[in-house]
Amino acid sequence: LKPRSASMAAAVEPAGPPPITSTSQELGAVGTIASVYRGDKDRSNVCNIRLMHILIVEDDQIARDYLAKALREAGHTVDVAVNGLEGLHLASSVALDLAIVDRMLPKLDGLALVQSLRATGRKTPVLILSALGEVDDRITGLRAGGDDYLTKPYHMSELLARIDALGRRGDS
């Protein structure tokens, strides 16, 4: 189930690494490559990431705010939508590098949002982030047009790695 309180939101990312910080003064503009230190004391976990414009479509305010804060700390530009219709409008009208979409949304569910995007020819990568985690749920999400599927609760480090991977696909 989706976290509905601050204490439940903490379950999304149990005691993980320290906040993501830049190895330089500024991370740069969206679309640039940045070297980012992801919390290892010996800096063995420095990697180059593509800074992206990301849309989060999530109706749970705590989960949405937590995710948006983490992505901004990683240097990404973030827009948010609180329901499926708002998400579809933003995804259809703004140039995005990635959309992160919950499946269970008011006004228009996440799968219908993704199918509508694909029907219009939009190729924006979509990562579905959902509490629905059975194999059939994941297959349905991917076949609806999702490029990746991650179940809640999730580790922020895994989500960031998947975002990096989707960003690399867009570079080819």
Side-chain angles (χ1 to χ4, degrees), residues 58-112:
E58 170 65 66
D59 61 318
D60 182 276
Q61 182 179 355
I62 293 169
R64 184 178 60 245
D65 291 349
Y66 173 78
L67 180 54
K69 181 178 186 279
L71 294 177
R72 287 182 180 120
E73 285 179 1
H76 300 292
T77 300
V78 177
D79 289 335
V80 297
V82 299
N83 63 60
L85 284 177
E86 183 181 344
L88 179 60
H89 173 73
L90 284 170
S92 300
S93 60
V94 175
L96 297 169
D97 297 304
L98 175 68
I100 299 175
V101 179
D102 185 17
R103 277 192 61 172
M104 298 181 291
L105 295 166
K107 298 189 179 180
L108 181 70
D109 72 78
L111 293 185

Side-chain angles (χ1 to χ4, degrees), residues 115-128:
Q115 290 169 331
S116 296
L117 275 180
R118 297 301 183 234
T120 63
R122 299 288 286 214
K123 296 185 187 301
T124 303
V126 174
L127 187 151
I128 298 171

